[in-house]
C-alpha cells in the first residue's frame, strides 16, 4: 500500500508537472559531489531494514525476509529511476542504481553473515545558508530545503562497538562511533553560477567534508514497547553529537554538535 501510494503521489505531485520524453539515461555522477548517491544508498538500506524487520515480526523466515527486504527496496527505488528516465529534464541514472544496490547489499550481507545490523547507514540534515541563492534547485519551503539542499545533508556509517566485542563485554550496547560525508558551498549541481535570473551570486568555495563523531543506538536500551517502537524509527537518524570535521579546503574543525 505504501509502495503504491508514494509512487502515485510522486508522479502527480512532481513528475506530472514536467515535460516527458522517451526513456533515456543520464550520467550525473559529477553532480553535487555525489551527496545524492549517498542519499540513495541510505534510503535503499533503510527501506531494506524496515521491510525485513516487518516480515520477521510477521513470522517470515530469515533468508526469505532478507531477500524480500532487499528486492522490495530496490523495486521502490527503481520506480523513481523509471520516472526520471521518462522526464525530459532528467534521466535514469546508472549511478543512482549502483547506489541503490549498494545500500540494499550492505543490509543483506550483514543480516546474512551476522544476523544483525552492526554497521548502519544514517542521515542528518540541517538548513544551509545557500538555498536563498538558488531556491529552484535547493528548495523554497523548509521541507523542500531539507530534501533538496545537499549542503545541509550528511550521511553516516555508524558502527555499533559492542557488536564486535565478546558477548560478556560490559561496553554499553547503545554506544556507536560514526564516520560521515557531506559537502558545502554548492549552489549549482556541477559548478556555482555567477548569476541567476540577473541576480549576482556571491562566490563560495565548494568542498567535501568528512566527519568522525560519537553516535548512539537508543533502541538497544530496553524499555517499554511504545518507547522502543519510537526509538526504532529514529535509528536511521544520526544522533547529534560532537564531531571532528576534515574538509578538502585543508581545514580541520571541532564541532560542539554536528547534525
Amino acid at each position: 500500500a505504501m509502495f503504491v501510494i508514494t509512487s502515485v503521489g510522486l508522479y502527480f505531485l512532481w513528475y506530472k508537472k514536467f515535460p516527458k520524453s522517451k526513456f533515456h539515461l543520464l550520467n550525473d555522477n559529477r553532480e553535487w559531489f555525489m551527496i545524492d548517491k549517498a542519499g540513495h544508498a541510505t534510503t535503499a538500506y533503510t527501506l531494506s531494514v524496515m521491510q525485513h524487520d516487518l516480515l520477521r515480526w510477521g513470522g517470515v523466515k530469515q533468508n526469505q525476509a532478507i531477500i524480500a527486504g532487499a528486492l522490495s527496496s530496490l523495486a521502490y527505488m527503481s520506480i523513481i529511476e523509471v520516472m526520471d528516465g521518462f522526464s525530459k529534464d532528467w534521466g535514469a541514472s546508472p549511478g543512482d542504481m549502483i547506489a541503490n544496490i549498494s545500500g540494499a547489499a550492505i543490509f543483506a550481507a550483514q543480516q546474512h553473515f551476522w544476523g544483525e545490523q552492526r554497521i548502519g547507514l544514517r542521515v542528518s540534515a540541517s538548513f544551509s545558508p545557500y538555498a536563498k541563492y538558488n531556491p529552484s534547485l535547493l528548495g523554497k519551503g523548509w521541507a523542500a530545503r531539507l530534501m533538496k539542499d545537499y549542503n545541509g545533508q550528511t550521511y553516516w556509517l555508524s558502527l555499533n562497538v559492542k557488536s564486535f566485542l565478546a558477548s560478556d563485554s560490559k561496553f554499553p550496547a547503545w554506544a556507536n562511533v560514526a564516520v560521515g560525508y557531506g559537502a558545502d558551498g554548492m549552489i549549482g549541481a556541477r559548478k556555482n553560477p555567477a548569476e541567476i535570473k540577473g541576480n549576482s551570486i556571491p562566490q563560495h568555495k565548494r568542498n567535501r567534508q568528512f566527519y568522525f563523531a560519537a553516535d548512539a543506538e537508543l533502541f538497544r536500551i530496553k524499555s517499554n514497547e511504545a518507547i522502543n517502537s519510537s526509538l526504532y524509527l529514529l535509528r536511521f537518524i544520526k544522533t547529534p553529537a560532537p564531531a571532528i570535521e576534515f574538509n578538502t579546503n585543508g581545514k580541520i574543525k571541532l564541532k560542539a554538535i554536528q547534525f
Side-chain angles (χ1 to χ4, degrees):
M2 290 297 295
F3 178 85
V4 173
I5 290 170
T6 54
S7 298
V8 173
L10 271 173
Y11 174 77
F12 282 101
L13 292 175
W14 181 259
Y15 290 97
K16 189 178 180 181
K17 301 176 183 179
F18 299 95
K20 306 295 183 294
S21 69
K22 292 182 179 180
F23 184 83
H24 61 286
L25 301 177
L26 173 68
N27 183 352
D28 59 354
N29 290 338
R30 297 181 63 187
E31 297 182 359
W32 305 115
F33 282 143
M34 299 186 77
I35 297 296
D36 57 322
K37 304 297 180 278
H40 274 267
T42 301
T43 303
Y45 170 84
T46 300
L47 293 175
S48 297
V49 172
M50 295 186 73
Q51 179 72 348
H52 164 270
D53 290 355
L54 180 63
L55 291 171
R56 290 290 290 155
W57 175 78
V60 177
K61 293 181 180 179
Q62 173 76 308
N63 286 340
Q64 294 172 342
I66 292 172
I67 294 170
L71 291 182
S72 60
S73 170
L74 289 177
Y76 174 77
M77 300 299 289
S78 296
I79 286 293
I80 297 174
E81 292 307 316
V82 170
M83 289 191 284
D84 276 349
F86 283 106
S87 297
K88 184 178 180 181
D89 295 339
W90 296 283
S93 167
D96 287 354
M97 282 307 302
I98 292 173
N100 296 338
I101 293 169
S102 299
I106 289 171
F107 149 75
Q110 293 186 83
Q111 203 65 44
H112 177 72
F113 291 108
W114 291 332
E116 63 178 343
Q117 297 299 302
R118 297 183 180 184
I119 304 172
L121 272 63
R122 297 185 166 197
V123 62
S124 61
S126 57
F127 297 111
S128 85
Y130 307 110
K132 62 184 178 182
Y133 299 120
N134 197 356
S136 62
L137 274 185
L138 303 180
K140 296 181 181 180
W142 67 269
R145 288 178 63 185
L146 287 176
M147 292 181 62
K148 298 172 68 176
D149 186 355
Y150 295 117
N151 296 285
Q153 298 175 13
T154 306
Y155 293 94
W156 303 82
L157 281 174
S158 183
L159 182 148
N160 182 257
V161 178
K162 188 172 182 180
S163 297
F164 292 93
L165 302 178
S167 57
D168 59 351
S169 170
K170 301 300 182 182
F171 197 87
W174 51 266
N176 280 28
V177 293
V179 290
Y181 176 59
D184 189 63
M186 302 181 297
I187 298 173
R190 298 195 179 197
K191 62 180 182 179
N192 293 344
E195 64 176 46
I196 297 175
K197 295 181 179 180
N199 298 317
S200 297
I201 304 299
Q203 290 303 297
H204 300 273
K205 193 169 183 179
R206 300 162 69 97
N207 67 93
R208 302 173 190 260
Q209 299 166 321
F210 303 91
Y211 298 95
F212 180 79
D215 194 14
E217 288 188 328
L218 300 178
F219 73 94
R220 293 182 183 269
I221 302 174
K222 299 302 180 183
S223 184
N224 65 57
E225 186 173 349
I227 294 177
N228 279 345
S229 298
S230 300
L231 294 178
Y232 169 84
L233 293 175
L234 292 175
R235 66 182 289 185
F236 306 105
I237 300 175
K238 167 70 171 63
T239 305
I244 302 174
E245 175 194 322
F246 308 86
N247 62 52
T248 50
N249 285 340
K251 296 181 179 179
I252 299 176
K253 299 179 180 179
L254 297 178
K255 300 287 189 75
I257 293 291
Q258 173 61 30
F259 184 69

